[in-house]
């Protein structure tokens, strides 16, 4: 059986992700309870993976959780600074996740030494790594400084890493059989068949699956403006001579046109044309842009997406601005503030047509700073406010004030 994915366009991203927000301390419970993977199966090979009891779905929309799909796509296209590109189609990673634990919906029947539930043969986490393999090939997929086989980001990135080490770039079938510990070829057949179904679009997207995980960073405390500034600052690339904040990303997050939509408070998710699915915890894949660089395959923020998300989180998910600068500038949830009265969290706007915006952070080392997602090819960063205002032209500032003119 050959997996034909010739029409799949994989755009390589330049170290795009810090996915700590997908699973971090203090988050919500899972959307569905974990179920135990059977431990009676005697699989062949060193890895000895127990089979997954697939849950029969009445609807295709019960298939890939949106946060897992985000991770599969990101791991397939990532170029880390210290590891070569992962030339593994996201559909293959998703097919492995489906076969192993139905995308994190199943757990083992005992707890391993690392605290991760595992099956009778010691395989644990969403991608069912045994401890020895994990020690050799596990990596930190979300930049939180930990290598945790129970964390979906780490597990999925590590699967791509392991497959490449097994020769997937040259012989995917052989790599899959080695991964599954099945010299008979049945494991590869099953994975490739499932991957082909995903490639055809024969799947739906389910609400995010946080089963067994905690998935939200704590919201900063203090006045609203300070909270807005703190949320935005977490995503700014660390640079010498610029502000540094708690929980700041370790890797740059790129500008992505249309990126950064938080999930709808009513539907629980946003889908764009059935193509991209957005998690509610930070950056996202963007949108096509007519006449300009597309954000479709770039996982990050644009300028208004960053501001929108910061306000949404800082207000306890009560204020969700439209994803456009002019809407925020003219909202009834903001008040006008003069340039001389800028305070942390104020939304600052540039260019005559309000074509760009940032979040005012405050003074550091004698300079006034904003957090911004500048343009395609750049990253979310701290920038000197007065320099940006001089270069682009300053249009004004607005302070988020709930029900200011309601």
């Amino acid at each position: 059986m050959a997996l034909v994915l010739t029409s799949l366009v994989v755009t390589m991203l330049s170290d795009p992700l810090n996915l700590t927000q997908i699973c971090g301390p203090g988050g919500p419970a899972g959307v569905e309870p974990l179920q135990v993977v059977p431990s009676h199966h005697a699989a062949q090979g060193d890895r000895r993976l127990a089979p997954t009891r697939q849950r029969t779905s009445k609807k295709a929309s019960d298939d890939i959780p949106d946060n897992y799909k985000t991770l599969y796509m990101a791991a397939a296209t990532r170029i880390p600074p210290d590891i070569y590109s992962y030339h593994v189609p996201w559909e293959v990673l998703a097919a492995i996740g489906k076969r192993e634990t139905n995308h994190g919906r199943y757990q083992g029947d005992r707890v391993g030494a690392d605290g991760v539930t595992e099956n009778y043969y010691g395989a644990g986490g969403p991608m069912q790594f045994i401890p020895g393999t994990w020690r050799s090939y596990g990596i930190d997929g979300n930049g939180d400084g930990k290598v945790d086989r129970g964390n979906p980001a780490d597990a999925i990135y590590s699967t791509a890493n392991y497959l490449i080490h097994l020769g997937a770039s040259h012989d995917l079938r052989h790599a899959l059989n080695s991964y599954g510990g099945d010299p008979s070829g049945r494991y590869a057949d099953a994975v490739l068949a499932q991957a082909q179904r995903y490639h055809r679009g024969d799947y739906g997207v389910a609400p995010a699956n946080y089963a067994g995980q905690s998935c939200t960073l704590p919201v900063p405390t203090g006045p609203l403006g300070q909270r807005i500034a703190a949320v935005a600052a977490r995503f700014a690339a660390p640079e010498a001579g610029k502000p540094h904040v708690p929980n700041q990303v370790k890797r740059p997050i790129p500008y992505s046109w249309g990126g950064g939509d938080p999930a709808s408070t009513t539907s629980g998710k946003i889908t764009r044309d059935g193509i991209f699915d957005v998690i509610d915890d930070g950056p996202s894949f963007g949108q096509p842009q007519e006449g300009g660089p597309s954000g479709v395959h770039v996982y990050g923020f644009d300028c208004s997406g960053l501001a929108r998300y910061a306000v949404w989180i800082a207000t306890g998910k009560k204020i969700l601005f439209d994803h456009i600068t002019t809407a925020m500038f003219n909202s009834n949830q903001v008040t006008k503030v003069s340039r001389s009265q800028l305070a942390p969290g104020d939304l600052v706007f540039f260019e005559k047509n309000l074509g760009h915006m940032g979040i005012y952070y405050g003074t550091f080392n004698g300079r006034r700073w904003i957090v911004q997602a500048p343009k395609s090819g750049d990253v979310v960063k701290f920038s000197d406010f007065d320099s940006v205002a001089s270069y682009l032209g300053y249009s004004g500032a607005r302070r988020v004030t709930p029900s200011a003119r309601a």
Side-chain angles (χ1 to χ4, degrees), residues 42-100:
Q44 298 181 9
D46 292 337
R47 203 158 169 277
R48 302 201 174 202
L49 301 181
T52 297
R53 289 183 299 185
Q54 300 296 347
R55 175 169 55 84
T56 301
S57 174
K58 295 181 180 179
K59 298 186 301 182
S61 61
D62 290 333
D63 199 350
I64 308 178
D66 61 357
N67 57 333
Y68 272 70
K69 186 184 175 189
T70 296
L71 288 168
Y72 293 134
M73 295 180 72
T77 58
R78 183 183 183 193
I79 305 179
D82 52 347
I83 303 175
Y84 41 73
S85 302
Y86 298 157
H87 298 284
V88 180
W90 77 264
E91 294 96 335
V92 171
L93 298 176
I96 293 172
K98 176 73 172 179
R99 179 171 178 80
E100 299 297 347

Side-chain angles (χ1 to χ4, degrees), residues 43-397:
Q44 298 181 9
D46 292 337
R47 203 158 169 277
R48 302 201 174 202
L49 301 181
T52 297
R53 289 183 299 185
Q54 300 296 347
R55 175 169 55 84
T56 301
S57 174
K58 295 181 180 179
K59 298 186 301 182
S61 61
D62 290 333
D63 199 350
I64 308 178
D66 61 357
N67 57 333
Y68 272 70
K69 186 184 175 189
T70 296
L71 288 168
Y72 293 134
M73 295 180 72
T77 58
R78 183 183 183 193
I79 305 179
D82 52 347
I83 303 175
Y84 41 73
S85 302
Y86 298 157
H87 298 284
V88 180
W90 77 264
E91 294 96 335
V92 171
L93 298 176
I96 293 172
K98 176 73 172 179
R99 179 171 178 80
E100 299 297 347
T101 63
N102 199 11
H103 310 299
R105 293 183 175 99
Y106 300 104
Q107 65 171 339
D109 52 7
R110 68 182 188 182
V111 178
D114 57 358
V116 176
T117 57
E118 57 187 25
N119 67 20
Y120 181 77
Y121 301 100
M127 306 301 277
Q128 293 286 278
F129 276 92
I130 62 173
T133 305
W134 185 254
R135 284 191 294 269
S136 298
Y137 300 103
I139 62 173
D140 178 9
N142 61 5
D144 66 355
K146 302 176 183 178
V147 182
D148 177 7
R149 64 178 175 149
N151 182 293
D154 293 357
I156 291 168
Y157 275 61
S158 297
T159 296
N161 181 46
Y162 186 30
L163 286 172
I164 291 301
H165 278 89
L166 291 172
S169 297
H170 308 290
D171 190 339
L172 180 59
R173 173 179 292 280
H174 174 76
L176 287 171
N177 283 329
S178 298
Y179 183 96
D182 183 5
S184 72
R186 290 191 296 269
Y187 185 89
D189 287 346
V191 169
L192 293 174
Q194 183 64 53
Q196 189 64 61
R197 287 192 286 272
Y198 286 153
H199 182 61
R200 291 197 304 265
D202 186 15
Y203 68 92
V205 177
N209 175 27
Y210 295 133
Q213 299 291 327
S214 295
C215 308
T216 305
L217 287 174
V219 176
T221 59
L224 176 58
Q226 292 182 12
R227 299 201 302 272
I228 294 171
V231 172
R234 287 173 175 166
F235 297 101
E239 298 180 79
K242 296 185 179 182
H244 286 78
V245 300
N247 297 319
Q248 191 170 1
V249 298
K250 294 181 175 63
R251 303 186 181 105
I253 293 179
Y255 177 97
S256 174
W257 198 88
D261 272 330
S264 166
T265 54
T266 56
S267 67
K269 64 177 180 176
I270 296 174
T271 46
R272 298 192 179 97
D273 301 324
I275 302 175
F276 299 113
D277 309 288
V278 184
I279 61 173
D280 65 352
D281 290 306
S284 72
F285 289 101
Q287 296 179 340
Q289 179 182 193
E290 185 176 353
S294 172
V296 164
H297 294 292
V298 182
Y299 191 90
F301 286 107
D302 65 9
C303 66
S304 55
L306 177 63
R308 183 183 195 228
Y309 174 77
V311 171
W312 187 64
I313 292 297
T315 59
K317 302 184 179 180
K318 294 178 181 177
I319 295 181
L320 185 61
F321 288 128
D322 289 339
H323 196 152
I324 184 169
T325 55
T326 53
M328 298 186 202
F329 190 84
N330 296 309
S331 170
N332 63 4
Q333 301 285 334
V334 301
T335 54
K336 183 177 180 180
V337 59
S338 70
R339 185 167 177 169
S340 62
Q341 295 176 325
L342 287 174
D346 287 345
L347 308 180
V348 288
F349 297 83
F350 306 96
E351 302 180 343
K352 290 183 179 180
N353 64 350
L354 304 177
H356 185 59
M357 68 178 298
I359 301 93
Y360 187 76
Y361 179 76
T363 301
F364 176 77
N365 282 347
R367 301 162 70 183
R368 297 195 292 178
W369 298 92
I370 62 170
V371 183
Q372 63 161 341
K375 60 183 179 180
S376 293
D378 210 333
V379 299
V380 178
K381 61 173 61 174
F382 283 107
S383 298
D384 183 296
F385 162 71
D386 293 293
S387 295
V388 175
S390 175
Y391 178 72
L392 295 178
Y394 181 64
S395 296

